[in-house]
Amino acid sequence: MDKIVAEPRFDDDATASSADFASLYLIERKLLWLSSWMIHNANHLRPNRDGLKVGGHQASCASVVSIMTALYFHILRPQDRVAVKPHAGPVLHAINYLFGRQTVDKMAGLRQVGGAQAYPSRTKDGGEIDFSTGSVGLGVAITSFAGLIQDYLRAHDMVSPERPVSRHVAIAGDAELDEGNIYEALLEGWKHDVRDVWWVVDYNRQSLDSVMPDRLFGRFEGLFRDMGWNVMSLKYGKALEAAFRKPGGTALRAWIDDCPNSLYSALTFQGGAAWRQALLADLGRSRGVRAIIDPMTDESLAGLMTNLAGHDLPTLIEAFTAAARSDQPTCFLAYTTKGAGLPFAGHKDNHSGLMNEEQMNAFRSLMQIREGHEWDAYEGIPQPDRLRHFVASVPFATPLTPTGRTLAAPMVPVPDVLPHGSFAGRKMSTQGAFGEMLSEIGRGTGDCADLARHIVTMSPDVTVSTSLGPWVNRRGVFDRHTRNDVFRDSKLASAQRWGMSPEGQHIELGIAEQNLFLLLAAAGLAAPMQGARLLPIGTVYDPFVNRGHDALVYGCYQDARFMLVATPSGITLAPEGGQHQSTNTPLLGMVQDRIAAYEPAYADEFAILFRHGFDWMQRPEGSSVWFRLSTRQLDQPDRPLDPAAVIAGAHWVAPPAAGARLAIIYQGAVAPEAEAAFAALREDEPGAGLMAITSPDRLFANWRAAQRARRNGDAGAQAHIETLLAPLSPDAGLVTVLDGHPSTHAWLGGVRGQRIQTLGPDHFGQSGDIPDLYRIYGIDEDAILSACAAVMLG
């Protein structure tokens, strides 16, 4: 575990009166300038070789500058973790620049190779980014699950009790609240009584294409309160609140409250004269209102009417300070103006709008920036040394560790062989082998004690049907509060012991696969985020990986480390039919970056891979691991295996003779059909070979790596699959079969230019038993033999 730098002494309940508002206003101004200039530079000043718009979101950055100023320069502590809305990435880069954690070169290279990313990215922008947020909505939801993981780690004494608790903060665009995964996460957080989570909603009432519906905030408030959240609606700033207290102020407030979002946005864009005309048309007979607005210039009137709480630092800091006194999850609905302070503020088309050269020059003058000094951190700032000292003194400026915000945790030792009974001669499935082995690890004895302690399992209401039941019986269900197993207490017979306590090591989820993958991602980031390593295992029905695929991609993109066990799979489900069948998941495993996908046929292969998975997911060069397993029970062979070959992705079950003309290659549950076809084939082709693929993903990745190495001058580079296929004749035929899409294996013909017939279902949904379905979809023994004849005949 990384050594934590001593936390600076500051009051967590610091009041707004303790804030140095003079400095905060200057920082707010500087962040608006730097974020706008960063985007302008990328679009107007850099060479554009392909003619495509580089893009950026100046208006979305401006919308959230005040919120981020209040958080990063007054409220946040070093241990807090933040997910910044995607379109405010340039503001976050500017903040890190002021903290000395970002460079001018990176900012000048925004959206360019080697430059700062368009949206905050853990893997591309480095350790100062807590959560990647390019997938809208997912960055918000993961903070709730990160809070749950923090609760888990502390309940299991995996972090020092002296280490300060982290607050998990999401800065969200209001349009992100259209995402369904937000509400799935909200409900799951309520079930688990999640603490120390803030969602700050940049409520500018504008999405990409339109203005948000009126009064939508009321729905948001109700939803959050129903889920046990504290809701703070931050609508008006100090200037407007003062105006409301004057004679006529009540009428003015009612007028603004009733003003449609679209009209408010239009008036904001049009400016003070338009505000005056609209107010006089509706409230011109009110002496009190006239007394408020008549003495004001158009410019000051526009400033008053757009004095929303989301741009008012005293209001924001008061609200954040009040909420910080409790660990209750809190949603701040902070009213803002999209593009505040920029020439297109409020315009409904400003989402991707960019200031032109003339507008930027005027903005530069307003900000007192000299030409050629646009990137200077304190250009245009009076008394820059004073502000520099202020920035260095704020709590968040203190590094979390001597090397930054990324923590570390030692690897958990994995025994050379995981405990399991004898497989040979038994009839069992790979899913059954998974359940048995995990149960044996769950005993927590011998050299598995430490391994068992670091495993946490999770499942979206399919715990028992994915063979996690024995593990849960041994290790218990996690809950922040102890809850007895009523059936057990009542002495009612049940195979499952579902007592819940803080000591449990299984997290039960509702049927929402996105939540599973977000929780896996949060648990898989425990080492860099919390300094304590978890080995998360999540189980789900294989076809329903598709439901949570976006969140799976998101977790892998952040380089979270977890083990996904997807089972049961394929049309081998047989009688269940319909949507419980799957064909595309082997392809998903191949194309998904930062995950190693495996599909063993037999328990002995799984045992090797299960052990490798625990090791691989911890290595710096490693990744997450995905097992596609089956409920089909097969007669288990008694044989020696080369673990390196199984891990590399394939091995010969029956090696071919030198110069052989044919090989059958199978993957997963169709092994008996392939073996039967091979036995029949050997009568006519005694030199043929039989190969088992355990991972088309690892095979293909290794082949690609060898190709790159040869292109880069390493003529001797050889892929594992090239070595395996080398004994075959150059014109040999290959017949491949799996319970998955046949294109999973189609690339094998290109390894050595051999003819290939690929078998596998390319559609699904028919109920039946295995013999019927395998016959209908062309993966039975007869289909394999027919393909052998076809490939031999050319």
Side-chain angles (χ1 to χ4, degrees):
M1 191 180 299
D2 272 343
K3 179 181 177 182
I4 306 297
V5 172
E7 191 178 28
R9 296 184 61 84
F10 64 98
D11 186 359
D12 194 41
D13 292 331
T15 63
S17 62
S18 71
D20 183 345
F21 283 106
S23 295
L24 290 172
Y25 290 134
L26 291 173
I27 290 170
E28 178 185 42
R29 177 187 180 97
K30 176 54 67 173
L31 295 180
L32 179 61
W33 163 257
L34 284 172
S35 58
S36 298
W37 177 254
M38 211 180 304
I39 297 166
H40 180 81
N41 176 76
N43 284 274
H44 296 290
L45 303 182
R46 286 202 315 240
N48 189 328
R49 296 182 298 176
D50 54 22
L52 294 177
K53 174 187 173 183
V54 177
H57 303 88
Q58 289 175 332
S60 291
C61 288
S63 181
V64 78
V65 158
S66 304
I67 292 170
M68 293 180 70
T69 299
L71 285 170
Y72 279 91
F73 295 91
H74 188 74
I75 296 295
L76 293 177
R77 306 154 304 170
Q79 72 270 18
D80 293 336
R81 299 294 185 176
V82 190
V84 175
K85 74 171 190 173
H87 297 149
V91 182
L92 182 55
H93 297 314
I95 287 171
N96 280 325
Y97 176 50
L98 294 184
F99 283 135
R101 302 167 184 172
Q102 182 60 282
T103 67
V104 169
D105 286 346
K106 292 279 189 181
M107 293 191 299
L110 176 72
R111 298 186 171 219
Q112 197 173 47
V113 173
Q117 292 294 295
Y119 310 129
S121 168
R122 283 185 57 84
T123 56
K124 302 297 191 301
D125 286 319
E128 295 306 322
I129 306 300
D130 295 325
F131 299 101
S132 300
T133 53
S135 294
V136 172
L138 297 179
V140 180
I142 197 174
T143 57
S144 179
F145 293 106
L148 173 57
I149 291 300
Q150 175 173 253
D151 291 342
Y152 180 94
L153 292 171
R154 288 182 172 271
H156 288 81
D157 297 323
M158 299 180 79
V159 294
S160 169
E162 297 178 1
R163 182 180 167 194
V165 174
S166 300
R167 186 175 293 122
H168 298 88
V169 181
I171 302 168
D174 50 8
E176 288 193 84
L177 297 188
D178 286 341
E179 294 285 348
N181 71 274
I182 293 280
Y183 303 101
E184 292 178 348
L186 197 60
L187 180 59
E188 201 63 59
W190 171 79
K191 292 178 188 175
H192 288 93
D193 192 22
V194 167
R195 306 278 95 188
D196 298 300
V197 177
W198 284 5
W199 289 358
V200 186
V201 181
D202 172 21
Y203 194 60
N204 59 45
R205 302 169 306 288
Q206 289 182 243
S207 58
L208 274 68
D209 297 322
S210 62
V211 177
M212 303 285 281
D214 296 323
R215 309 294 291 175
L216 190 58
F217 73 92
R219 298 297 181 189
F220 292 151
E221 286 190 31
L223 284 166
F224 280 91
R225 288 202 171 99
D226 286 346
M227 292 299 135
W229 284 53
N230 175 31
V231 180
M232 303 185 76
S233 185
L234 312 178
K235 191 167 187 179
Y236 299 119
K238 297 296 185 183
L240 270 175
E241 291 286 3
F244 297 154
R245 290 191 291 270
K246 296 178 180 179
T250 301
L252 179 62
R253 180 172 192 146
W255 187 92
I256 301 176
D257 282 341
D258 294 336
C259 184
N261 286 341
S262 54
L263 175 58
Y264 187 90
S265 296
L267 291 173
T268 298
F269 177 71
Q270 290 172 289
W275 280 114
R276 191 180 305 278
Q277 182 179 355
L279 288 168
L280 290 177
D282 293 340
L283 302 176
R285 295 183 179 180
S286 169
R287 291 183 179 179
V289 171
R290 294 296 295 265
I292 294 171
I293 69 173
D294 283 356
M296 304 181 76
T297 65
D298 285 348
E299 183 179 5
S300 59
L301 178 59
L304 175 68
M305 295 302 290
T306 56
N307 175 232
L308 299 178
H311 299 300
D312 193 76
L313 290 173
T315 301
L316 288 167
I317 288 176
E318 280 183 5
F320 293 150
T321 300
R325 297 189 179 103
S326 167
D327 65 357
Q328 184 180 9
T330 301
C331 175
F332 304 88
L333 293 173
Y335 280 70
T336 61
T337 297
K338 196 162 187 173
L342 303 181
F344 38 58
H347 196 288
K348 72 180 185 68
D349 299 332
N350 66 12
H351 179 78
S352 297
L354 298 171
M355 282 186 277
N356 58 34
E357 293 285 355
E358 182 180 353
Q359 289 171 323
M360 180 53 76
N361 287 335
F363 187 53
R364 184 195 343 248
S365 297
L366 180 66
M367 292 289 177
Q368 300 178 11
I369 306 294
R370 295 170 293 167
E371 287 195 46
H373 293 266
E374 291 86 357
W375 296 109
D376 293 1
Y378 295 95
E379 174 70 9
I381 300 294
Q383 298 181 311
D385 287 342
R386 181 181 182 280
L387 188 61
R388 196 176 283 111
H389 174 74
F390 171 81
V391 169
S393 70
V394 303
F396 200 76
T398 301
L400 189 57
T401 74
T403 56
R405 295 182 57 71
T406 300
L407 305 178
M411 289 182 63
V412 178
V414 182
D416 292 338
V417 178
L418 295 180
H420 61 79
S422 175
F423 297 134
R426 296 174 60 190
K427 197 176 186 69
M428 66 186 307
S429 67
T430 48
Q431 178 183 309
F434 161 69
E436 282 192 18
M437 292 187 67
L438 190 59
S439 177
E440 287 300 306
I441 294 170
R443 293 181 185 275
T445 57
D447 54 5
C448 278
D450 204 28
L451 177 65
R453 178 173 175 264
H454 286 82
I455 292 173
V456 56
T457 62
M458 52 201 72
S459 188
D461 202 37
V462 290
T463 297
V464 175
S465 53
T466 55
S467 296
L468 279 179
W471 161 266
V472 177
N473 283 343
R474 293 194 189 282
R475 310 302 289 199
V477 179
F478 172 73
D479 196 284
R480 292 182 67 244
H481 313 282
T482 298
R483 306 177 193 275
N484 291 337
D485 183 340
V486 175
F487 270 67
R488 189 178 185 185
D489 292 347
S490 302
K491 295 182 171 52
L492 299 175
S494 173
Q496 309 305 321
R497 298 191 289 272
W498 287 96
M500 302 179 182
S501 73
E503 292 78 36
Q505 287 182 242
H506 173 74
I507 301 175
E508 183 69 6
L509 302 170
I511 306 177
E513 284 76 8
Q514 293 235 6
N515 283 345
L516 169 70
F517 290 115
L518 287 171
L519 181 57
L520 279 172
L525 291 172
M529 299 281 276
Q530 295 286 341
R533 189 177 298 278
L534 289 175
L535 300 175
I537 302 175
T539 65
V540 66
Y541 288 179
D542 186 66
F544 301 142
V545 170
N546 290 292
R547 288 186 181 173
H549 188 219
D550 186 24
L552 170 61
V553 173
Y554 175 68
C556 291
Y557 178 72
Q558 300 194 78
D559 200 24
R561 303 298 181 86
F562 52 83
M563 185 179 289
L564 169 63
V565 178
T567 180
S569 61
I571 64 166
T572 303
L573 289 167
E576 291 198 34
Q579 281 190 274
H580 279 199
Q581 296 177 350
S582 60
T583 60
N584 69 322
T585 46
L587 290 169
L588 293 182
M590 288 183 68
V591 302
Q592 178 57 53
D593 191 18
R594 298 178 187 270
I595 197 166
Y598 294 93
E599 185 175 1
Y602 291 104
D604 56 357
E605 295 169 326
F606 175 75
I608 292 169
L609 295 172
F610 198 30
R611 189 265 166 207
H612 168 70
F614 284 124
D615 179 71
W616 183 246
M617 63 197 282
Q618 300 184 71
R619 293 191 174 277
E621 72 276 17
S623 70
S624 291
V625 178
W626 178 353
F627 291 118
R628 187 179 192 248
L629 304 182
S630 175
T631 50
R632 187 184 187 190
Q633 295 192 347
L634 305 182
D635 293 320
Q636 299 299 309
D638 185 2
R639 59 183 178 175
L641 283 176
D642 176 8
V646 173
I647 292 167
H651 61 95
W652 284 113
V653 177
R661 299 191 305 152
L662 184 64
I664 295 176
I665 303 173
Y666 72 85
Q667 175 181 325
V670 296
E673 284 67 32
E675 292 162 352
F678 179 71
L681 177 71
R682 290 292 286 268
E683 297 178 7
D684 297 320
E685 286 289 330
L690 178 65
M691 181 190 295
I693 287 182
T694 54
S695 175
D697 169 48
R698 296 295 85 196
L699 282 182
F700 184 75
N702 180 247
W703 182 48
R704 293 272 290 174
Q707 290 175 316
R708 285 192 294 270
R710 290 194 288 266
R711 286 195 299 269
N712 292 330
D714 184 2
Q718 187 85 350
H720 179 59
I721 188 60
E722 291 171 328
T723 302
L724 288 175
L725 294 178
L728 298 172
S729 167
D731 62 349
L734 308 177
V735 173
T736 70
V737 59
L738 79 159
D739 183 3
H741 200 279
S743 62
T744 305
H745 294 159
W747 60 275
L748 289 167
V751 174
R752 300 184 72 237
Q754 291 158 329
R755 299 189 308 279
I756 188 167
Q757 289 272 325
T758 59
L759 304 180
D762 53 12
H763 59 288
F764 61 91
Q766 176 66 48
S767 295
D769 61 13
I770 286 177
D772 276 346
L773 292 194
Y774 280 16
R775 173 180 51 80
I776 290 170
Y777 292 108
I779 56 173
D780 62 354
E781 179 184 347
D782 288 343
I784 296 170
L785 289 172
S786 294
C788 289
V791 78
M792 291 290 289
L793 294 173

